[in-house]
Structure formats: C-alpha cells, structure tokens
Amino acid sequence: MGELQHARTSWRAARLAELEGMRCAGVDPYPGRFDATTSISQLRAQFVDLPASAETEERVSCTGRVVLLRDHGGIWFVTLESGGAKLQLMCDSRPRVEPPRRGDLIGVTGLIVASRTGELSVRVQEFELLSASLVAPGDKRGRPRSVEHRSRYREADLMENLQSRKVFTMRSEAISGIRVALEARGFLEVETPVFAADAGGATARPFVTRHNALGQDLMMRIAPELFLKRLVIGGMDRVFELGRVFRNEGMSAKHNPEFTMLEVYQAYADYIDMMELVQHVVVEAALASLGSTTVRIPSGQQVDLALPWRRASMSDLVFEHTGERIEARMELGQARAALGRMGLGFDEAWGSGRCLVAVFEDRVEANLISPTIVTGHPVETSPLARHCRTDPSLTERFEVIVGGMELANAYSELNDPVEQRERFMSERSRAQAAGEETLLSSPLDQRYVEALERGLPPTGGLGIGIDRLVMLLTNSSSIRDVILFPTMRSPHAETPAANGRSDLVPTAPLPTATAPGAQVAAVRLSGLVRVVAMLTSLVGVLTMLSAVPAISAR
C-alpha cells in the first residue's frame, strides 16, 4: 500500500511540474473553451462504411478523454472516449510533441482516415490539453473494482466503467418513460414538502434536522402520501410525484436511507385500476430503457414483464409454498401454531394477520420470480387501505413482487375519516405494545384526518420504488449500483460499536435541571477534552494534598 501511495504521489508531482512548465511557456493547461465541430458518436455514425486504409480530406475537431496511449516507434496511438463512444487518434511524434497522458481531457483537430485494420481514426494535425488529470490512471485493462470503491469514487467508476455509465443512462430513460406514460393518461406531476414538522404516511424512523430561523426541529419525509391525498381532496384528481424519501433505518443490498419513490393517486378509482396502471408503467419503463420487456436478474433467470401478470392472494401463496393455510380471520392460536410448525417465532402483539405477513415475507416472497400481484393484505398491516368489500379482515391492497423483490405497493384509499382515526390509534397502540418507534397519530396524521373530513373521493393509490425498478431493468444485485451517490460511512468515521463510545460532543444544550425519572443523554467528550479534564483533576488533587500539612498543624 505504501508503494502504491508513493507512486501516486510521484505521478502527481510530475504532472504539476509539467503544467508549471506549460505556464512558463505561455500555455494555459486549463483553457476555457474549445470549439469542436463534431462528436465521436457522430463521427462513428457518419463514417461507418469507411474502408480499411482509406484517406479523406475531411477535417474535424472533437474532444474526449484519453483512455489508452500506445507508442509505436515514432507514431503514438491514442484511444479517445466521449459519451460512451471511442475513437482512435494517430499522431506523428517526430516533431517532439509531448503526448497527452491517460486520463487527460484533450481537443484534437485532424483528418478522418481508416487504419490498415479498418479502424476509424483521426490523423492528428494539432491537439490541445483541456484539463490535465493529476490522479494516476487505474488499471488500463479495466478490471472491475469493488462495489465499495465504485460507490465511493463514482466519478472514477463512470470514467473507467462504461457499463456503469450505461446503467445510469438506462435509469434516466426509465424515469422519462414513466413520466410519459403517466402524462399520457392525464396525470399531473406535483411537488410536496421534503421537510415537515412531523413525518407521516408510513411507519418508519425519520431523519430529524433543525431549522434555526424557525427555532424548531423538522423531519425529512418518509413518504409524500398524505400531502398527495390532500391534493386529491382539493380537486386535483390525477397526481403523481417522483422524488426522494428518507428513512433512518438499516442498509442492505435492497435498502438505502435515501431513495427515489413514485407515488400516484387517481380519484374515482380503486386498487383494480392501480393493478392495470402499474403493469403499464413498468412495461413503459422497460421499453424506454431496454427496448424490450424481457429482463435478466442476478440469478441468471430471464423474466418477461409483458402483460398480463399473475394475481394471487397472500394466503393462497403461503399455502402454495408451505402447505400451511393461514388467514387473517382465523383464530390467533391456530395462526401461531402454524408458525410453530414452520419453526418461526412471533411477537405477542401480533394478530393472525401479522402472522400471515411474517410467513409470506420469510418463506414466499423470495421465491416469486415472475411478476406477481399479491392481494389479500390484512387490515392489521394496512392502516391506510380500505376494507375489502368481501372480507372485512382484509384490505383492498396489493404488492407487486418481481425477481423475489417487492417492487410496488398499492391500495384503494381509506376515505372514512372516523375509521381512519381509529386505524391510526390502533396502529399506535400496537406499536407501543411491541416497543416499536412510530410516528403514527402524529400531528401531521391528525391534519390529514381533518382534511379527510372535507371529503376524499374513492381513490386508488400506487407507490413504486424507482431504485428497485432500475435494479430489475439493469440486472443489478445491489441498490448502490443504481444510485449515483449512495449513502456510505465516511472513510474517516469510526464505527461507534467498535469501542463502545463516540468522540462526538452533542450540539444540543445540556439540561440544567431534570425531572425525577427523566432520561438524560450521556455526553461523550472528545479525546483532547478528556485529557484536559484529567489534568485539571490531577492539579486539584495535588493542591488538596499540599494543604494537608497546614490543616494538621492547626
């Protein structure tokens, strides 16, 4: 590692010396402009049929990054890359022109030719350094780096890995396809607050920040749902939002604290309408980014997203995969017994519906590879969904599972304000009994219930995790591969659990008085502060000892 760091330092020093020499010669190594006449992609499309060894009088200027440099005895060959397309440059080095370095951005002017092997090339007449790379180039063979490295140094990943760049291009195309599909169906894109005094619309732990001017804490949204439904109440019958949501919870290959969510609401519709909508939206996203409805998932299996998708109830799927029949309306003892036979534990606060969901998530979900619309969700786990019209223990809700991963969630919205308030209170009591942190029945939820009293029409709501959809479309196994800058621990941060303590000093003022029985946060001091505190204590003890003889004399 020391040798590698030394090589990087030496490279940087050598490059800085070169740039200083250019400045002394009156050449700006970072010019502000270069007038290109074409791009590499346009050149490759225009001269696709140029025969081997062909010479032309076509003079062009283009730009790009040097990704490969080879010296062949008096002629050096450069591979220039821009926008995912590559072009070979040929330059005579006899006039003692210093060649560019790998990683440099350059502008070149020259004639279009083809090499003896038929490779489209530019015979360079002049080139200009546009931006020098002070970082030593990576492996020229392009061997893959770890997910950790690619996520932390995304700019280097995009430079070295064209496949990574393709993933994010496909992400953009998929999102564009979703917008087109929704706008064609009369939906209006809107924006709702990211910060609010309280978080609501889902059960999750929020991030909390401080607004200094208002003198109050604000929370980053965990879902835009309640705001969007208030817009429907106000008369905006078809709305959608594509935006970031934030949940201060665990991280995994399928979870990032900051992620992109699509939420759609349609007045005078229900969850059946949402089933049709989600299928069309996903297919449009696939066609826009892939040109096909067939995708390959990390297990190597091919999945066809073409319509129609399978529809099945959660209870039927559990029976199909485990042989155990569990239903939300069955006796609690029977549901717990079924979990016991499968070797699964349960919480005392769980009802039969929660037991059903636990089995589905543990034994079924990962095995659903083809697109499956899972219906029959219990009321117990669906506080915002309308009761099923044929079974009051269930709701009109469904999830879409593809490739063993939840992709979407939708339901017929509950629009009875009295029942909604009761659901919030019931969920809050259940969460408190289970010792879970929750913000249900927060002031934001109360404002939503008050808005419901103005009248929410029958409404269908749909949420799609955009990052997971892109994972599916790009055959990515980690969510970090489809988020340009995923949340990561700082490389200089120490894991709090590593030594059982933190060196951070809290910024909140310490309490000067505490009510009996109230919790007081422990304060961890930085290393320097602890040393000063120890020395102060030692001086105090020595001072007291020096006073002992005088006290004895008295």
Side-chain angles (χ1 to χ4, degrees), residues 316-338:
D316 287 344
L317 288 168
V318 166
F319 181 75
E320 178 183 315
H321 287 265
T322 69
E324 293 282 354
R325 174 64 70 179
I326 304 177
E327 296 182 349
R329 63 175 180 268
M330 73 190 310
E331 292 291 333
L332 179 56
Q334 293 177 317
R336 289 180 173 179

Side-chain angles (χ1 to χ4, degrees), residues 250-267:
M251 298 172 63
S252 72
K254 297 179 182 178
H255 296 87
N256 192 67
E258 176 186 3
F259 59 99
T260 303
M261 175 73 75
L262 166 69
E263 291 211 7
V264 184
Y265 293 90
Q266 179 179 341

Side-chain angles (χ1 to χ4, degrees), residues 5 8 18 25 56 66 121 144 171 190 245 247 255 289 301 317 328 330 347 376 383 435 461 468 507 522 527:
Q5 185 61 38
R8 290 173 176 170
E18 289 178 18
T56 77
V66 176
S121 307
R171 179 188 176 106
V190 297
V245 294
R247 298 182 182 179
H255 296 87
S289 58
Q301 298 167 279
L317 288 168
M330 73 190 310
D347 192 285
R468 291 189 179 186
T507 56

Side-chain angles (χ1 to χ4, degrees), residues 46-69:
Q46 181 180 353
F47 295 97
V48 64
D49 296 323
L50 196 65
S53 301
E55 301 274 347
T56 77
E57 296 300 317
E58 185 81 22
R59 194 168 189 265
V60 297
S61 296
C62 60
T63 59
R65 187 180 295 273
V66 176
V67 295
L68 198 60
L69 180 66

Side-chain angles (χ1 to χ4, degrees), residues 37 51 59 87 106 156 179 365 384 470 481 483 499 524 543 549:
T37 60
R59 194 168 189 265
L87 179 68
I106 64 172
R179 281 195 168 99
E365 183 173 315
L384 295 168
V470 176
D481 285 336
I483 298 176
N499 57 10
R524 301 291 187 183
T543 302

